[in-house]
Amino acid sequence: MSPESQASEALPSRRRRAPRGGRHRGDESFLLPPGSPTLVLAVPGPARRAGAEPALELARLVEIEHTGQPARVAYLEGDEANLHTVLAGLHHDPDELAAVVVPMSTGPDPAMDAALRHAVAAAPANAVAAEPLGPHPLIAEALHDRLADAGLARADRIRLMTMVTAASGVIIATPGDATAVRQAEVTGVLLASRLAAPVFTASLNDDASVKAAAEQLRAAGATSIALAPHLIGPEPDAARVASAAATVGCPHSAPLGP
């Protein structure tokens, strides 16, 4: 994390349930009561842009996990499945909440957040805008998985602890402004505990920020650095991942995906 800032945001509360086996074991509970509002995943950009598949896959997974729970995908740009159109098409009762709109982003994005709030305020149905998906322990787990997929971290664990990592330091590169960087630091702390390696956070939109994070890692003794993109995949910023990694001469993992 950046030495001049500290993240103060609290992590979401968690509820225990029986542990699952396999790679995706965890203790998160996502049980939804019958008749819950429609879940709308709000994706930046238009529907036809390449990279929108993670939102469609997430919507499918929600409906599989929660039989009868509707999940829709809407886009903040373009005419096809536009967020305004999707919200206008929902059944609305003035006394009931019709939809919860979740931005497909890992942290605050002023432009995206403003567009989402505008659409929710203009909707004929009662709808609320949710917070971004991060910071959250599952984001840290997904970052670890992507690093392992790229051969940049060991996924082996002893009593759920990672003992060895292929990279001796990691840069979490997040889109957005300084607020997004500070929030991503919470996820950075969680990832560092999983990897037993230092993790610093930088802005994906600022090469100087990425270079500063790399210098801090090297000063901390890291001899091999990896860049982990703190984004889901449909964001326009995904195109900057390769160039950001090239700026400091390090490999990178893939975006988080569904």
Side-chain angles (χ1 to χ4, degrees):
M1 69 179 65
S2 305
E4 66 273 12
S5 63
Q6 294 181 346
S8 59
E9 290 79 7
L11 289 172
S13 60
R14 304 199 292 174
R15 293 177 291 169
R16 289 285 180 180
R17 69 175 179 181
R20 293 182 295 175
R23 179 181 178 186
H24 299 289
R25 61 182 176 272
D27 56 6
E28 287 294 321
S29 176
F30 298 109
L31 298 179
L32 300 173
S36 293
T38 298
L39 173 68
V40 179
L41 300 177
V43 181
R48 292 298 181 180
R49 192 188 67 222
E53 293 82 3
L56 298 173
E57 179 67 8
L58 278 173
R60 186 184 72 86
L61 291 172
V62 168
E63 292 184 337
I64 290 174
E65 184 79 9
H66 309 285
T67 304
Q69 172 62 36
R72 303 284 301 276
V73 175
Y75 301 87
L76 294 175
E77 297 178 19
D79 295 329
E80 184 177 350
N82 183 270
L83 179 57
H84 291 274
T85 304
V86 170
L87 291 177
L90 296 177
H91 173 75
H92 55 277
D93 183 320
D95 297 323
E96 295 182 357
L97 182 63
V100 176
V101 185
V102 179
M104 283 286 288
S105 63
T106 54
D109 181 320
M112 182 178 181
D113 295 343
L116 192 150
R117 288 194 299 269
H118 174 71
V120 167
N126 290 334
V128 295
E131 295 296 315
L133 299 177
H136 197 281
L138 289 178
I139 298 291
E141 180 180 0
L143 286 169
H144 185 183
D145 286 344
R146 297 292 81 76
L147 286 165
D149 290 343
L152 300 173
R154 289 282 302 276
D156 310 72
R157 299 186 183 183
I158 298 176
R159 297 186 182 182
L160 304 184
M161 291 295 292
T162 297
M163 306 306 294
V164 181
T165 175
S168 53
V170 175
I171 300 171
I172 292 181
T174 187
D177 55 13
T179 301
V181 173
R182 286 195 297 271
Q183 286 203 7
E185 288 173 355
V186 178
T187 302
V189 171
L190 296 170
L191 181 61
S193 69
R194 297 177 65 91
L195 301 177
V199 176
F200 283 81
T201 308
S203 171
L204 184 59
N205 310 106
D206 183 0
D207 287 345
S209 175
V210 176
K211 290 178 180 178
E215 291 170 0
Q216 290 168 325
L217 284 170
R218 292 183 178 116
T223 56
S224 59
I225 296 173
L227 184 142
H230 188 247
L231 44 80
I232 298 165
E235 301 93 325
D237 308 83
R240 293 188 53 85
V241 171
S243 62
T247 297
V248 294
C250 75
H252 65 85
S253 55
L256 298 173

